[in-house]
Amino acid sequence: MINFSTNQTTFSHSKRETAKAAIATLPYPTTKWEEWKFTSLKAVLDTEYATSNSMISKELGLCCIPNSDAHTLVFVNGTFHSACFNSEKKENVVVKRWSELDENDKKQIENYFSANILPEKDIFTAWNTAYFEEGVYIYVPEKENIETAIHIQHLTDSEENIAFQHRNLVIVGKQSSVKVIETQHGTSKSNTLRNAITEIFVAENANVEYIKIQAEGDKASHVESTILTQKADSKATLFAFSFSGEIVRNNLTVNLEGKNIESNLYGSYLLSGSQHVDNHTEVHHKEPHCYSNELYKGIIKDTATGVFNGKI
């Protein structure tokens, strides 16, 4: 089993306490559940994991892209590393790790953190909300067109089984735009488990593009949830690419909370061996005159398996 109770972050105390209380009452999903009937987590849950690892990877150079002008943050086994960190601020955008937040950031975050999440409904969401370890906070003020991409890179390279949690929060102000890329690489020969949440809030007339690439290897497992909330006249385009993984579960929830919204959801998976990827999407049309588009495709060989379940 897993015990993630290591984080001491103090903001959003009430939401974190609610999540902590829920953990004791929530079961882990099984194939008897309709939403999980094609994805068994037994092998993942039967594995013993460490929840911290301070080693510096010999493969850190994999995360360094020569001559890249993207604002780049690198995490190794869930821990931030300054190598390859590009902190030059070219535009009016806030890009910080949770450990860097000041009091103004915390006040801004309070209205958004876990705003459209019910941790008492899901054990993995509850674990992350209560005890996530690190992640990235991105804030784009109103009327800002951020032309430089923001790149969040993850490298998993551990000699022991390791589990860690990551959380991103992206807030895009009115009439603004931004592009975020999140890549996950892996060289570990041991079992790894990533429990991650990304919350994205897109204000009126704003535009966001978010690209997520999973390629951590055959021994890596993921339970990842992305929650996208859009306001009137906004546009969002999300890409989810899965190129490897022992067991990967991608949950995507989209809330259309205004008129004339456009949402484009794209995904692809390329699987072999005994890899398994499960994509679940929910799009909630809460207002009229909105457009949502989904396109997921996969190529599978050997005994690998892929699942797609989309609800509107």
Side-chain angles (χ1 to χ4, degrees):
M1 287 295 181
I2 310 160
N3 185 355
F4 283 120
S5 54
T6 58
N7 188 266
Q8 301 298 321
T9 305
T10 56
F11 71 89
S12 296
H13 180 76
S14 62
K15 293 178 181 178
R16 285 177 170 276
E17 289 302 312
T18 299
K20 289 178 186 178
I23 290 170
T25 66
L26 290 169
Y28 285 96
T30 73
T31 53
K32 293 181 180 180
W33 298 17
E34 179 66 22
E35 292 292 303
W36 288 84
K37 66 179 180 179
F38 298 115
T39 301
S40 172
L41 295 176
K42 186 177 186 306
V44 174
L45 299 177
D46 286 346
T47 301
E48 294 290 332
Y49 299 94
T51 55
S52 64
N53 188 321
S54 59
M55 69 174 289
I56 298 177
S57 172
K58 297 178 182 178
E59 307 295 338
L60 202 54
L62 292 173
C63 293
C64 298
I65 303 175
N67 304 317
S68 172
D69 63 351
H71 192 127
T72 304
L73 300 94
V74 177
F75 298 86
V76 180
N77 300 327
T79 301
F80 174 74
H81 279 268
S82 59
C84 310
F85 177 49
N86 178 2
S87 60
E88 182 181 353
K89 187 173 181 179
K90 304 179 179 65
E91 297 164 291
N92 188 20
V93 58
V94 175
V95 182
K96 292 185 177 181
R97 292 172 286 124
W98 293 102
S99 56
E100 296 179 301
L101 301 183
D102 58 30
E103 290 306 312
N104 288 332
D105 296 325
K106 292 177 182 179
K107 290 178 182 179
Q108 175 74 36
I109 285 171
E110 197 65 38
N111 293 327
Y112 294 93
F113 177 79
S114 201
N116 288 323
I117 294 177
L118 296 175
E120 61 270 25
K121 300 294 185 180
D122 172 72
I123 183 67
F124 287 100
T125 300
W127 275 119
N128 187 286
T129 302
Y131 296 116
F132 72 90
E133 298 159 9
E134 252 300 8
V136 179
Y137 166 56
I138 299 170
Y139 172 65
V140 183
E142 294 184 8
K143 299 180 180 180
E144 293 289 343
N145 179 24
I146 308 303
E147 296 183 354
T148 303
I150 298 168
H151 192 181
I152 306 168
Q153 297 195 68
H154 302 276
L155 176 62
T156 306
D157 182 23
S158 175
E159 296 177 356
E160 61 180 343
N161 297 339
I162 185 170
F164 49 89
Q165 304 194 100
H166 191 90
R167 187 148 183 151
N168 299 322
L169 174 59
V170 181
I171 303 171
V172 186
K174 296 178 181 179
Q175 301 179 50
S176 296
S177 64
V178 69
K179 179 177 182 178
V180 182
I181 305 168
E182 185 172 9
T183 55
Q184 302 167 0
H185 307 283
T187 59
S188 178
K189 293 181 173 58
S190 301
N191 294 296
T192 63
L193 172 62
R194 177 192 305 278
N195 180 34
I197 292 177
T198 297
E199 296 176 273
I200 306 170
F201 294 88
V202 189
E204 290 86 348
N205 290 287
N207 187 351
V208 66
E209 184 176 344
Y210 201 104
I211 302 169
K212 183 173 292 187
I213 302 172
Q214 297 170 326
E216 283 191 301
D218 295 345
K219 305 290 284 185
S221 294
H222 306 257
V223 179
E224 298 214 10
S225 295
T226 301
I227 302 91
L228 168 66
T229 301
Q230 294 181 245
K231 298 299 183 180
D233 301 299
S234 65
K235 178 180 179 181
T237 304
L238 273 59
F239 298 87
F241 300 103
S242 298
F243 297 127
S244 62
E246 183 175 16
I247 297 175
V248 175
R249 170 65 176 240
N250 292 317
N251 299 310
L252 172 58
T253 303
V254 179
N255 299 300
L256 307 184
E257 298 182 348
K259 297 180 180 179
N260 304 314
I261 294 173
E262 180 179 339
S263 299
N264 298 296
L265 315 178
Y266 301 115
S268 68
Y269 43 95
L270 178 62
L271 309 177
S272 61
S274 59
Q275 297 170 350
H276 177 84
V277 171
D278 184 349
N279 286 295
H280 271 238
T281 69
E282 291 185 14
V283 182
H284 298 274
H285 282 255
K286 299 182 178 182
E287 295 285 346
H289 310 298
C290 294
Y291 171 79
S292 64
N293 169 58
E294 295 187 63
L295 178 62
Y296 278 71
K297 292 192 175 185
I299 299 175
I300 304 172
K301 70 175 184 177
D302 304 326
T303 61
T305 48
V307 179
F308 174 79
N309 188 325
K311 296 180 179 179
I312 300 176

